[in-house]
Amino acid sequence: DDTTAEWYFRSVPRSMYSIFRCSFGDCGTADGTPMAEIFLARSGGIWLSLLYSGFSFMVMIGLFNVISAIFVESTMSTANSMLAAKARERLEDPERWARNFMKLLSLVLSRMCPPDQELLEAVNSGTLTDSVLMKLKDAKFSRAMFDDLLETNEHAQQALVELDIPKAEHKFLSDILDSDNSEWIHLDEMLDGLQRLRGCFRRETIAVDMMVRSIQKKIDAIERWTNPKGDDAETASVDRASVWALKHVGNVAAAI
């Protein structure tokens, strides 16, 4: 009779299956009577009740939660790894960097007063000759103009977002890029600063780092002034590095 509890434990295989069912909460006979109530009514003991309650608690609350936590942790770990790989791919994409930096540079040059048409046309066309690169290396623009550009121009905002610099941080950019507090932002400061600010945003750390570098440049300038016979090879190397970085960005942007 499948309405009695004994029927579900008539053999070892059947008993194992019945215990499996009870472990998942389906512990009833064919007519819906819980088998636990049948056994407890027959035994009449408190210890069997406590044993069954403890077993149900351990399986339903303990074991299942542990298994669920393992699956959730594995899923979240995989998702985080995929997000990190995607972010790394974006940061290492030279075309994304070149395209959006040149777009932002073009908008900055168009806001300069008066605008340098030669530089603007060269940047828009991607033809960065040596003379243009030297002028770009010495180009600078005011913090007020840069702040106004980022506040009013959607194309400039979108270019920075494409470079993984969120909109919430745009209002701090001029303060970070102006590492020497001169109220002017040089193009090499903009190039170096935006590269450092991409991805995982560490505004305070990067601002301090750029300020220290600016102080180091001033100390080097004082040293060269006090020792005019010194070797200027290091200064020339820094200038060549800035020009090379600008030229590389321009070449990548022109090839897109």
Side-chain angles (χ1 to χ4, degrees), residues 15 28 51 189 200 215-216 221 242 250:
S15 299
L51 179 63
E189 292 177 326
C200 184
I215 295 173
Q216 183 64 49
S242 300

Side-chain angles (χ1 to χ4, degrees), residues 103-141:
K103 182 190 299 184
L104 183 62
L105 178 59
S106 176
L107 294 171
V108 168
L109 294 176
S110 65
R111 286 289 189 98
M112 295 177 67
C113 186
D116 192 321
Q117 294 299 328
E118 180 187 359
L119 290 181
L120 189 58
E121 292 176 2
V123 169
N124 289 334
S125 62
T127 56
L128 301 183
T129 62
D130 291 340
S131 60
V132 170
L133 288 171
M134 294 306 297
K135 293 181 68 175
L136 284 175
K137 183 181 72 67
D138 298 327
K140 62 180 181 179
F141 47 91

Side-chain angles (χ1 to χ4, degrees), residues 47-63:
W47 295 110
L48 183 59
S49 301
L50 293 177
L51 179 63
Y52 179 74
S53 299
F55 172 77
S56 301
F57 180 84
M58 290 297 296
V59 171
M60 302 297 294
I61 305 299
L63 182 60

Side-chain angles (χ1 to χ4, degrees), residues 5 24 30-31 40 53 68 96 108 139 142:
F24 285 88
D31 61 356
L40 291 176
S53 299
S68 300
R96 175 184 293 272
V108 168
S142 67

Side-chain angles (χ1 to χ4, degrees), residues 42 51 72 88 101 121 144 156 168 173 203 208:
R42 291 179 180 179
L51 179 63
V72 170
R88 185 168 58 251
F101 178 80
E121 292 176 2
L173 285 182
R203 175 165 29 97
V208 171

Side-chain angles (χ1 to χ4, degrees), residues 5 22 27-28 33-43 48 52:
C22 291
C27 195
T33 304
M35 287 186 285
E37 293 294 336
I38 298 176
F39 290 123
L40 291 176
R42 291 179 180 179
S43 64
L48 183 59
Y52 179 74

